[in-house]
Amino acid sequence: MSTGTVLAIVIPIAVVIVLVVLAFVLDRRRRNRLRERYGSEYDRTVDEAGGRRAAEYDLGAREERHDSLDIRPIDEDLRKRYLREWQGVQEQFVDHPETAVHDADRLVTAVMHERGYPTEDFEQQVRDLSVEHGRTLEHYRAAHDVELLSSRHQATTEQLRGAMIHYRVLFDELLADGNQPGSGRT
């Protein structure tokens, strides 16, 4: 075989190999970025979607929807008011734990609404929150599950206490997000 023939065979093969490796590296970077951004929500979405590609498409759709929302920080006076309300909800827990959990859910929902998140449907709330708060969604889901039990008077005091802790994690993050240097999108 002549040198020209060998080059005509080797160069396209090398180009294909480079393109395959590049595609693999870019795919890995995208996956790592999504895993870092969404935390355990990434794995949950993979399980629910039935595969990585479908999950990554879903997460991309969440990001597009989130970008279309008018998410904004809470002004300082309103933030202080919400903190006072939270203090009252915590104090209420001692005598009325079920009511306190319901009020914690209501307060977290009010903060979400104030920030610009749609709040009509829990599943959509989770999808919208996942873009910037993916690492705290397990807390929100756990609290919401207990709140549902509580509405049927089936939650134990320990579950109710745990729900308050879970709600507090998201509450703090929602209040702080956009109000501190370095917060917001990554």
Side-chain angles (χ1 to χ4, degrees):
M1 259 195 267
S2 71
T3 304
T5 304
V6 170
L7 288 176
I9 293 171
V10 170
I11 290 175
I13 290 173
V15 168
V16 168
I17 290 172
V18 167
L19 290 175
V20 167
V21 168
L22 182 61
F24 177 78
V25 168
L26 292 176
D27 186 58
R28 173 76 76 170
R29 277 189 189 159
R30 181 173 41 95
R31 186 174 338 138
N32 288 341
R33 180 190 68 79
L34 289 171
R35 276 192 169 143
E36 184 176 313
R37 181 174 204 168
Y38 289 92
S40 62
E41 183 67 12
Y42 177 88
D43 295 325
R44 177 188 209 90
T45 305
V46 168
D47 290 343
E48 288 176 357
R52 186 176 56 80
R53 292 215 186 276
E56 290 176 1
Y57 178 81
D58 178 49
L59 294 172
R62 291 181 193 191
E63 289 176 352
E64 285 181 26
R65 175 181 159 84
H66 186 274
D67 289 345
S68 73
L69 299 174
D70 181 25
I71 306 301
R72 57 200 171 274
I74 292 179
D75 71 52
E76 189 59 26
D77 290 336
L78 192 53
R79 185 172 115 18
K80 287 177 182 175
R81 190 188 99 212
Y82 281 131
L83 286 170
R84 283 190 304 273
E85 282 186 53
W86 182 265
Q87 185 64 38
V89 169
Q90 283 183 303
E91 290 168 2
Q92 180 183 39
F93 184 82
V94 174
D95 294 323
H96 306 284
E98 283 185 340
T99 303
V101 168
H102 295 303
D103 287 348
D105 181 71
R106 178 200 50 77
L107 188 56
V108 165
T109 302
V111 172
M112 280 187 253
H113 181 75
E114 187 66 37
R115 293 278 324 270
Y117 289 100
T119 57
E120 296 79 37
D121 173 60
F122 175 75
E123 288 305 319
Q124 189 60 56
Q125 285 176 350
V126 169
R127 292 175 58 77
D128 292 337
L129 286 169
S130 71
V131 176
E132 289 190 6
H133 306 281
R135 296 187 175 277
T136 57
L137 281 185
E138 287 305 313
H139 290 283
Y140 188 41
R141 280 194 176 98
H144 182 75
D145 289 346
V146 173
E147 198 272 335
L148 292 175
L149 282 174
S150 175
S151 67
R152 297 187 307 266
H153 307 291
Q154 296 175 335
T156 67
T157 303
E158 188 59 28
Q159 287 172 315
L160 294 168
R161 187 186 71 73
M164 292 295 292
I165 292 167
H166 290 307
Y167 276 127
R168 180 65 191 241
V169 172
L170 182 58
F171 178 80
D172 286 344
E173 189 170 302
L174 286 168
L175 281 185
D177 191 43
N179 292 329
Q180 296 176 351
S183 64
R185 291 185 204 168
T186 54

